[in-house]
Amino acid sequence: MNIQKSEAYNSKAPKVEKIVSIEPSVGLSDVRKRAENRYLISDKSEKVFNKVLAQSAKRAGIEMVLLDAESLTSDDVLYFNELLPLRTQILGSNFLKEVEIKRPSSSSLEALVPTHRVFEEAPNISSQWSHLANVYGTPYFAVHGVYSEIRPTEAYVWLFLCVFPPATLIYLFDVNAESVFYTAVVDVTSGEVVYREIRSFSDKPTRHNLPSITYDSFAVLKKIRKK
Amino acid sequence: MLLLLATWTLPNASFAQFSKNYTPIKLSGDVPIEFRQSARDLSLKELEERDKKQLKLSRKESKEYFTLSNYAQNRLFRSGIVYHNDELTEYVNSVAQILLVNDPKLKQELKIFVTRSTFPNASSWRNGCIFFNIGLIKYLDSEAQLAFILAHEITHYVRRHSLLKFRNEKSIERQGVFRHDEVEQMLASMKYSRERELEADLDGMEMLLTSPYDPVEAISALELLRTVGKDTNTVNLDLTSIFRIDSLDFDSLDICQTEPEEEEEVAFGEEAKTTSKAYYLTGLDNDESPQDSTVSGSAKLEKKNVGFIEEGEGEEEGDQEEEEEMPAEEEEEEEEEETEEGTGEEPEADQEEIAEEEEDLTYLLSTHPAIKERVAVIQEILDSRKPRPGQKFLLDAAKFERIKLLTRFESVQYYYRVFSYRRAAYEALVLMREFPNNQYLHLMAAKSLYWYAYYRDDWGGSGNLEEGEYAGPAIDHWYCFLDYLDQDQTQEMVLNLLEDYGKQFPDEDELLILKGRLLRQMDQKKASKEAFRAYVDRFPKGAHVEFAKRQLK
């Protein structure tokens, strides 16, 4: 599996012990399937993703609170009043600071920068959410997501199969997919993005490859320490 | 005497909130199930019960029908833009209550919501949910107009128009005709769409005629859709009185005064040529000036056709399939003008054909077109039925004005929330003309411009972000002015604004925080620290105190 990774972190950020992940999302755009099935499959994958995130965070030694609309109770108005706008801000601030945390097309996947770097100046968001640190017992709020484009098997594979049937049989099991895992973590008390990462890989997101990708992300986050 | 006093003080009391400050609307009370339920579970459940619904669709088609609409609606609820348990929703529901006083069963089936979206639109969904955007309410002139639009949307639901639309699309698909030509397919479905809109108008009109509302307001409601988002709704700002930028000579400024772009040329005669900096720098309203003189040259006149679900990221197939909309007509007038003018060269038959094609194209491009012909049909009903005069307001005219003001204040909040900082600042500055002492508006104007300054380099100056729907040349001039300033001038402008507003509202702690942040960005570290220190001293329990302390470390 070919993985390209772009990550950046704020080396001055304090150690991360606990994070709140707001509405992790999975978008599977399988062009072979009908629109309604794409929604249903994405929904199912989202549940798997949420589970994997929780497990990986635990393995990396980070306590994670996962919030999404379906897990809410009728008195969770805070989610709509504060957390959803915060989520929009986290994604938006990274987007505005020219970080490609958005749905990729094949061309934008290529545009990702596969380098590690430390922020020269961390992207900022408003400090209006700093009170949430007291509500959830941590200043760290994150957005996690996966987006994947799955396309039909390329024509040349069928051609190879006809010409060299036994040797190329393996290609039949090769999925023609491009995926992106993205995350951004902010410290609501400083209003700074402390960590962000985009990772693209040529495979579908599955319960087999997601654990290693998400664990690696949490492990890096865990290592961030104040100088 | 007491009664007189009460009638005078009550409306004034309801506006007092706007003169001093404003608190944006938040969700309160219990979160309704619609906001929390799983679209997947709902779709599967509905699929099981499909026999009861008499859809006349195959199982596969039913699955598509339920799933696409449930996910689209689910995304809307989860985007956080739908209000609940608030004054706006309560008001629109009160109007519905009056409209449906004789049909309580139908009223019970409907769930009417107001959304934060600034796009002038309303939509009706197959499950009885009706969404009214604040962007539509803010342009209405009377409660009766609101009632007509509501009646129109209710008809879409009662007549199951979304189902008919879906069936029609499936039928076109099954026939296999035009399979590979999307435009042909759209043209084929256009006829049905036209019929549905007219049906919604006619039944909506019937509903209005049986209500105590003035039926003539139906005409003005439709006419109004013609003008929303056009020049009449924009206001030029008096930039010289709002901003201080020492390094900029306003008098010698010649902003956006280049030749009009040909494809967008909308200037009129001599007066257009006289459009000058003096005009929009002195801040004349449209009603104080020649209407056409607001037109300038290179101000960007690109119309942005913002969809109803504008917060979502995508245009996934079928996202909007279930909606029946009542948005603004945007293209009709221009198309009409072009058609009328003609070139005089084509034979009459050809001209008719061209006009027909243009009309079809207009219909395809506009989400809710043909206002002229719909107005004519409604006028015919009024002429033939000669209904008794009704009332424009049944609840309270002052209440209606308050609701409109609320939507305008909420628009500022919405634009800020979706990163349309320039637009948010504009809306706040326009409202400040009416409410010069409103603290919230000053904060929002300063906040929006601070974040604009923060991000502007990353935008490449001009701003590629969604700026909301097109709203006329005054906004173009505003954007043009901001684009004209370089980063230093922008920062200077914002810093002066923060200082001025800070003096006017010394209790507004966020202004001080923003000042500290801006000074830091301007590399004035000492001054920045002083601002943060001042914050900690003056607002030890302020919302941003942790942030300020962190900056001092």
Side-chain angles (χ1 to χ4, degrees):
Chain A
M1 188 168 60
N2 175 31
I3 296 180
Q4 284 191 312
K5 184 180 176 186
S6 167
E7 68 177 37
Y9 57 90
N10 183 354
S11 59
K12 290 177 186 169
K15 196 173 177 181
V16 179
E17 300 282 1
K18 181 183 178 183
I19 64 166
V20 178
S21 181
I22 313 167
E23 188 125 2
S25 75
V26 174
L28 293 186
S29 175
D30 189 340
V31 294
R32 303 167 304 176
K33 295 198 162 56
R34 293 169 60 86
E36 68 273 21
N37 288 333
R38 284 183 223 160
Y39 278 114
L40 294 169
I41 294 167
S42 296
D43 208 336
K44 212 172 173 181
S45 304
E46 206 162 276
K47 289 187 172 59
V48 172
F49 183 55
N50 288 356
K51 213 171 174 178
V52 167
L53 272 179
Q55 286 167 351
S56 298
K58 197 175 172 188
R59 278 175 57 205
I62 293 176
E63 187 189 340
M64 190 178 80
V65 178
L66 199 146
L67 296 170
D68 69 355
E70 280 171 41
S71 64
L72 300 178
T73 58
S74 62
D75 57 356
D76 280 330
V77 284
L78 184 74
Y79 182 79
F80 293 94
N81 289 333
E82 304 275 1
L83 294 166
L84 280 181
L86 173 60
R87 186 180 191 276
T88 311
Q89 282 290 318
I90 295 173
L91 284 173
S93 63
N94 282 283
F95 167 63
L96 292 172
K97 283 290 176 189
E98 295 177 344
V99 178
E100 295 267 354
I101 298 187
K102 58 177 183 174
R103 281 188 178 173
S105 63
S106 34
S107 56
S108 69
L109 280 175
E110 286 163 15
L112 296 172
V113 187
T115 53
H116 292 56
R117 64 189 179 97
V118 175
F119 290 132
E120 281 174 18
E121 192 190 342
N124 267 227
I125 62 164
S126 166
S127 50
Q128 72 187 78
W129 288 281
S130 55
H131 64 281
L132 290 175
N134 295 329
V135 179
Y136 289 95
T138 176
Y140 297 110
F141 287 74
V143 174
H144 291 98
V146 174
Y147 180 73
S148 186
E149 275 182 8
I150 304 155
R151 293 180 286 271
T153 310
E154 300 280 4
Y156 73 87
V157 172
W158 297 110
L159 187 71
F160 278 14
L161 267 171
C162 296
V163 182
F164 315 105
T168 52
L169 208 58
I170 188 80
Y171 284 115
L172 262 188
F173 301 98
D174 197 17
V175 183
N176 187 11
E178 285 294 332
S179 306
V180 163
F181 164 78
Y182 59 85
T183 181
V185 184
V186 297
D187 176 347
V188 289
T189 50
S190 69
E192 284 179 343
V193 175
V194 294
Y195 181 66
R196 68 186 184 205
E197 177 189 333
I198 305 162
R199 192 185 298 228
S200 65
F201 51 99
S202 306
D203 200 352
K204 283 196 293 189
T206 64
R207 64 179 76 239
H208 304 294
N209 58 24
L210 281 176
S212 57
I213 290 169
T214 51
Y215 172 76
D216 185 54
S217 175
F218 284 120
V220 176
L221 190 62
K222 180 78 180 169
K223 278 183 191 169
I224 298 173
R225 283 167 189 277
K226 199 173 181 179
K227 268 183 181 172
Chain B
M1 187 64 190
L2 273 174
L3 192 70
L4 266 175
L5 193 69
T7 45
W8 182 79
T9 50
L10 277 177
N12 284 329
S14 67
F15 287 95
Q17 179 194 4
F18 301 110
S19 65
K20 290 267 169 62
N21 209 340
Y22 176 73
T23 309
I25 297 174
K26 287 193 171 181
L27 247 73
S28 63
D30 287 350
V31 181
I33 187 68
E34 288 87 356
F35 288 67
R36 295 178 284 126
Q37 67 192 352
S38 152
R40 182 188 168 84
D41 295 348
L42 188 63
S43 304
L44 296 177
K45 190 183 163 203
E46 284 190 308
L47 196 59
E48 269 175 31
E49 297 167 353
R50 77 187 175 102
D51 294 339
K52 292 179 198 167
K53 302 195 182 231
Q54 297 172 330
L55 301 174
K56 292 180 187 164
L57 296 172
S58 68
R59 187 179 165 79
K60 201 173 166 186
E61 286 169 345
S62 303
K63 187 180 171 189
E64 183 182 347
Y65 180 61
F66 293 135
T67 310
L68 292 183
S69 67
N70 284 336
Y71 273 93
Q73 198 174 93
N74 185 266
R75 206 164 67 172
L76 191 59
F77 278 119
R78 290 193 188 181
S79 64
I81 69 161
V82 182
Y83 291 105
H84 168 65
N85 204 12
D86 66 294
E87 203 176 338
L88 294 171
T89 312
E90 193 189 326
Y91 181 79
V92 177
N93 275 282
S94 304
V95 176
Q97 188 68 47
I98 296 170
L99 206 57
L100 298 170
V101 71
N102 297 320
D103 197 345
K105 193 172 163 270
L106 178 57
K107 174 70 186 76
Q108 214 166 11
E109 281 175 41
L110 297 170
K111 282 158 276 181
I112 302 168
F113 297 95
V114 179
T115 80
R116 295 177 194 275
S117 172
T118 49
F119 185 58
N121 193 17
S123 64
S124 172
W125 296 63
R126 64 172 179 83
N127 58 356
C129 280
I130 291 175
F131 295 95
F132 253 85
N133 294 357
I134 56 169
L136 180 60
I137 298 172
K138 78 173 177 182
Y139 288 121
L140 297 178
D141 293 325
S142 71
E143 197 181 302
Q145 287 180 352
L146 180 76
F148 172 70
I149 295 171
L150 205 46
H152 173 103
E153 297 303 332
I154 292 169
T155 306
H156 279 314
Y157 166 69
V158 173
R159 293 268 183 176
R160 303 177 93 183
H161 281 164
S162 64
L163 177 63
L164 297 180
K165 184 185 173 192
F166 184 81
R167 272 197 211 139
N168 177 48
E169 282 164 2
K170 290 294 131 190
S171 146
I172 293 169
E173 262 179 40
R174 270 197 298 273
Q175 285 165 17
V177 186
F178 319 125
R179 187 175 285 172
H180 301 295
D181 191 335
E182 278 181 25
V183 175
E184 289 291 337
Q185 220 169 56
M186 282 164 80
L187 283 169
S189 64
M190 203 178 73
K191 187 174 136 253
Y192 294 86
S193 162
R194 218 184 266 264
E195 284 167 9
R196 280 198 312 271
E197 286 308 314
L198 207 56
E199 196 172 53
D201 283 344
L202 292 172
D203 282 14
M205 191 62 198
E206 284 302 325
M207 211 182 280
L208 201 67
L209 283 165
T210 55
S211 78
Y213 284 114
D214 183 1
V216 179
E217 287 294 289
I219 301 269
S220 53
L222 285 170
E223 291 284 4
L224 193 122
L225 295 178
R226 235 191 246 273
T227 57
V228 287
K230 293 197 176 177
D231 307 9
T232 46
N233 297 304
T234 61
V235 174
N236 286 284
L237 295 168
D238 180 0
L239 302 175
T240 47
S241 75
I242 299 171
F243 302 113
R244 282 192 293 121
I245 309 171
D246 296 338
S247 56
L248 182 77
D249 182 4
F250 278 95
D251 291 333
S252 63
L253 199 61
D254 194 16
I255 309 162
C256 309
Q257 293 302 300
T258 56
E259 289 302 310
E261 291 168 19
E262 266 185 31
E263 68 276 17
E264 291 288 356
E265 189 173 337
V266 274
F268 311 92
E270 284 302 306
E271 280 171 331
K273 290 177 195 165
T274 62
T275 308
S276 68
K277 62 179 191 291
Y279 172 63
Y280 55 88
L281 287 178
T282 50
L284 294 173
D285 278 346
N286 286 318
D287 52 357
E288 297 166 340
S289 65
Q291 193 183 352
D292 47 18
S293 71
T294 55
V295 177
S296 84
S298 66
K300 290 181 206 127
L301 293 175
E302 185 191 349
K303 290 190 180 182
K304 298 198 174 185
N305 192 9
V306 184
F308 177 67
I309 304 171
E310 56 190 304
E311 276 228 312
E313 289 174 299
E315 290 96 35
E316 281 108 327
E317 199 180 321
D319 254 11
Q320 303 222 4
E321 283 194 1
E322 296 302 321
E323 302 176 63
E324 294 294 341
E325 300 175 335
M326 186 80 168
E329 184 192 37
E330 289 177 350
E331 311 285 344
E332 195 182 32
E333 275 186 2
E334 276 175 37
E335 291 289 338
E336 271 170 25
E337 275 170 26
E338 282 170 25
T339 313
E340 278 164 21
E341 280 172 18
T343 58
E345 287 167 12
E346 296 92 350
E348 206 172 306
D350 282 358
Q351 274 189 15
E352 269 175 32
E353 205 177 305
I354 291 167
E356 210 171 290
E357 274 175 18
E358 274 179 359
E359 197 189 337
D360 285 348
L361 192 64
T362 310
Y363 199 92
L364 286 176
L365 292 174
S366 171
T367 39
H368 207 288
I371 297 287
K372 203 175 169 186
E373 92 188 30
R374 289 162 58 192
V375 166
V377 172
I378 299 290
Q379 189 61 57
E380 219 170 276
I381 295 176
L382 288 173
D383 292 344
S384 62
R385 301 272 286 270
K386 298 203 171 27
R388 46 151 189 77
Q391 292 180 54
K392 283 187 179 180
F393 300 96
L394 285 165
L395 293 170
D396 184 1
K399 174 78 178 169
F400 181 78
E401 286 307 317
R402 183 182 153 75
I403 292 295
K404 276 185 68 166
L405 262 179
L406 268 179
T407 60
R408 290 176 66 198
F409 274 78
E410 285 296 303
S411 297
V412 177
Q413 190 69 20
Y414 178 76
Y415 284 124
Y416 178 79
R417 185 174 162 149
V418 297
F419 303 97
S420 293
Y421 296 124
R422 298 190 298 179
R423 185 66 189 268
Y426 172 84
E427 298 292 337
L429 291 167
V430 168
L431 272 166
M432 271 160 65
R433 291 154 52 105
E434 293 164 56
F435 304 98
N437 298 317
N438 185 293
Q439 187 168 329
Y440 165 83
L441 292 176
H442 284 78
L443 174 66
M444 288 310 290
K447 244 168 105 166
S448 303
L449 287 171
Y450 165 80
W451 287 107
Y452 165 73
Y454 178 74
Y455 286 121
R456 63 164 278 157
D457 273 0
D458 299 291
W459 296 359
S462 60
N464 296 317
L465 279 181
E466 184 54 72
E467 293 289 358
E469 68 285 355
Y470 178 76
I475 287 177
D476 290 327
H477 289 149
W478 165 240
Y479 291 168
C480 197
F481 163 71
L482 291 177
D483 290 347
Y484 183 85
L485 305 178
D486 61 27
Q487 179 69 346
D488 289 346
Q489 286 170 327
T490 307
Q491 288 181 334
E492 185 191 340
M493 171 184 81
V494 179
L495 187 63
N496 288 339
L497 210 60
L498 287 167
E499 278 175 354
D500 292 348
Y501 292 174
K503 281 175 198 159
Q504 195 177 345
F505 302 101
D507 294 340
E508 183 52 74
D509 65 335
E510 202 171 350
L511 290 169
L512 195 51
I513 279 291
L514 291 173
K515 187 180 164 188
R517 290 179 84 138
L518 183 61
L519 286 165
R520 193 180 59 187
Q521 281 156 38
M522 293 166 81
D523 271 340
Q524 297 185 28
K525 288 180 183 162
K526 200 178 162 197
S528 166
K529 286 214 166 187
E530 276 171 16
F532 289 127
R533 193 164 292 117
Y535 184 94
V536 176
D537 293 344
R538 280 170 56 193
F539 307 101
K541 289 183 181 174
H544 308 271
V545 72
E546 283 305 314
F547 175 80
K549 281 180 184 170
R550 289 275 289 269
Q551 307 308 314
L552 289 171
K553 279 179 186 170

